[in-house]
Amino acid sequence: MSRFGVLVVGPAGCGKSTFCAALISHIANTKRSCLYVNLDPAATDFEYEPAVDIKDLITLEDAMEEMGLGPNGGLVACFEFLMENLDWLDSSLDDVGEDTLVIFDCPGQIELYTHVPILPNLAKHLTGHLQFSLAASYLLESTFVIDKSKFFAGTLSAMSAMIMLEIPHINIMSKMDLVKGQFSKRELRRFLDPDPGIILSDVHKKTNPKFHRLNECVVGLIDDFSMVQFLQLESQNEDSVQAILSYIDDCVGWSEVQEPQIKDEPDMDYTEPVDD
C-alpha cells in the first residue's frame, strides 16, 4: 500500500506552519483527508492541533536541560533521539491509508539536513520502511528578494536541501503579499527562476573585492546545477494554495492511485428502449 506525505522545510520564520495550516484548511474544504505531524520540538502554538507531535516523545526544553545544550544542539539531540525511537513514529502512522496526505511540519534549523544527515535519514525511513511516496516543499520568504545577499544564501540552502534529501522537491517563495507592488512581473521572474547575473552584481557591491572570485564561483555553482526555481505562495489565497497542492500531488503521484468518484445512479433496465 502506498502512502503519501510532504516534508515542509525551510529557514525559521519563512511561514512553514502558516503554510501547513493553509494546506490543512484547503484539503478539508475539498473533502480530502490529511494528517498533520509536528516534528518541531520547540513549537508551541498551532492553528490545527497535530495528530502526531514529537513533543509527546521529547521536548526541546528536556533535551537542553538534561544534556546542557543550547537551542540548536538541543534540537539536533531531539532528532537523534527520534531516530533512535522510530518505532514511536511508525506506530503513530500505522493506520494512515493511501487516501490521506501526511503533512510533516519540520523545524527551521537547516543543520538537520546540511550539517548532519538527520532529515535525509528520516526521509529514507519514511520512503523505505513505511512505503511513503514523499516530496519536500522548501519555503523561502519573499522578502529575501529585497536583500540579494540573503536571497543568494537562501537559494544555496534550497539547492543543498534538494541534493541532500534526494526526494521529489518543490521550492516555494512564501508571503508573496509582502512584496506586492515592489517589483514588476519581469523583475520578479528573475528571482523565481534565479538569474545569476542579478544576484552577483548586487552581492559584489556589498562585499570586499577579495571575495568577488568566491561569489562568482558560488553563483556559477547555482547556474551549473540549474535546479532551483520557485513557486509563488500566498497562504490566504485559496487559488495559490491549490496550485501548490497540485504540484505536491504530482510529485508524490497521489492522483494515480485514487479511484474515480462515481455518483450512484438509479438502476435502469437497458434491455428495453426508454420512453421519451
Side-chain angles (χ1 to χ4, degrees), residues 128-141:
H129 185 71
L130 296 184
Q131 296 183 317
F132 267 88
S133 178
L134 197 65
S137 295
Y138 184 95
L139 274 67
L140 188 70
E141 188 177 330

Side-chain angles (χ1 to χ4, degrees), residues 17 36 38-46 53 55 60-61 105:
S17 295
Y36 181 35
N38 173 51
L39 292 180
D40 186 351
T44 54
D45 299 322
F46 302 100
D53 192 344
K55 295 199 301 296
L60 180 60
E61 292 79 8
D105 191 358

Side-chain angles (χ1 to χ4, degrees), residues 149 200 202-212 215:
S149 297
L200 194 59
D202 201 82
V203 172
H204 270 353
K205 295 175 185 176
K206 297 183 179 182
T207 55
N208 189 302
K210 67 181 181 181
F211 294 116
H212 286 186
N215 293 340

Side-chain angles (χ1 to χ4, degrees), residues 187-223:
E187 288 175 312
L188 193 58
R189 197 176 301 120
R190 299 182 73 183
F191 293 100
L192 297 175
D193 187 0
D195 180 346
I198 196 172
I199 299 174
L200 194 59
S201 61
D202 201 82
V203 172
H204 270 353
K205 295 175 185 176
K206 297 183 179 182
T207 55
N208 189 302
K210 67 181 181 181
F211 294 116
H212 286 186
R213 178 57 182 157
L214 176 62
N215 293 340
E216 292 165 4
C217 289
V218 177
V219 169
L221 184 67
I222 295 173
D223 193 32

Side-chain angles (χ1 to χ4, degrees), residues 63-91:
M64 291 171 61
E65 182 178 346
E66 292 181 16
M67 305 182 70
L69 298 170
N72 284 352
L75 186 67
V76 172
C78 287
F79 265 80
E80 288 176 342
F81 187 76
L82 171 64
M83 296 304 294
E84 293 170 359
N85 295 273
L86 284 172
D87 55 331
W88 170 82
L89 184 62
D90 295 351
S91 61

Side-chain angles (χ1 to χ4, degrees), residues 108-121:
Q109 279 69 15
I110 63 173
E111 293 93 335
L112 295 173
Y113 48 84
T114 57
H115 293 62
V116 287
I118 293 179
L119 273 183
N121 288 340

Side-chain angles (χ1 to χ4, degrees), residues 54-184:
I54 191 175
K55 295 199 301 296
D56 294 333
L57 177 69
I58 187 171
T59 66
L60 180 60
E61 292 79 8
D62 289 342
M64 291 171 61
E65 182 178 346
E66 292 181 16
M67 305 182 70
L69 298 170
N72 284 352
L75 186 67
V76 172
C78 287
F79 265 80
E80 288 176 342
F81 187 76
L82 171 64
M83 296 304 294
E84 293 170 359
N85 295 273
L86 284 172
D87 55 331
W88 170 82
L89 184 62
D90 295 351
S91 61
S92 299
L93 300 175
D94 192 51
D95 295 331
V96 173
E98 62 182 19
D99 60 340
T100 299
L101 179 67
V102 181
I103 302 169
F104 297 91
D105 191 358
C106 301
Q109 279 69 15
I110 63 173
E111 293 93 335
L112 295 173
Y113 48 84
T114 57
H115 293 62
V116 287
I118 293 179
L119 273 183
N121 288 340
L122 177 61
K124 289 176 182 177
H125 177 78
L126 292 171
T127 55
H129 185 71
L130 296 184
Q131 296 183 317
F132 267 88
S133 178
L134 197 65
S137 295
Y138 184 95
L139 274 67
L140 188 70
E141 188 177 330
S142 63
T143 55
F144 276 37
V145 304
I146 299 172
D147 186 336
K148 308 300 188 304
S149 297
K150 291 177 71 174
F151 180 76
F152 180 64
T155 302
L156 275 177
S157 179
M159 188 173 74
S160 174
M162 296 177 77
I163 294 170
M164 292 293 291
L165 289 172
E166 297 182 317
I167 56 177
H169 190 110
I170 60 174
N171 296 302
I172 299 170
M173 193 168 289
S174 62
K175 305 181 183 181
M176 288 301 298
D177 52 302
L178 298 181
V179 296
K180 270 187 174 179
Q182 297 188 44
F183 297 91
S184 67

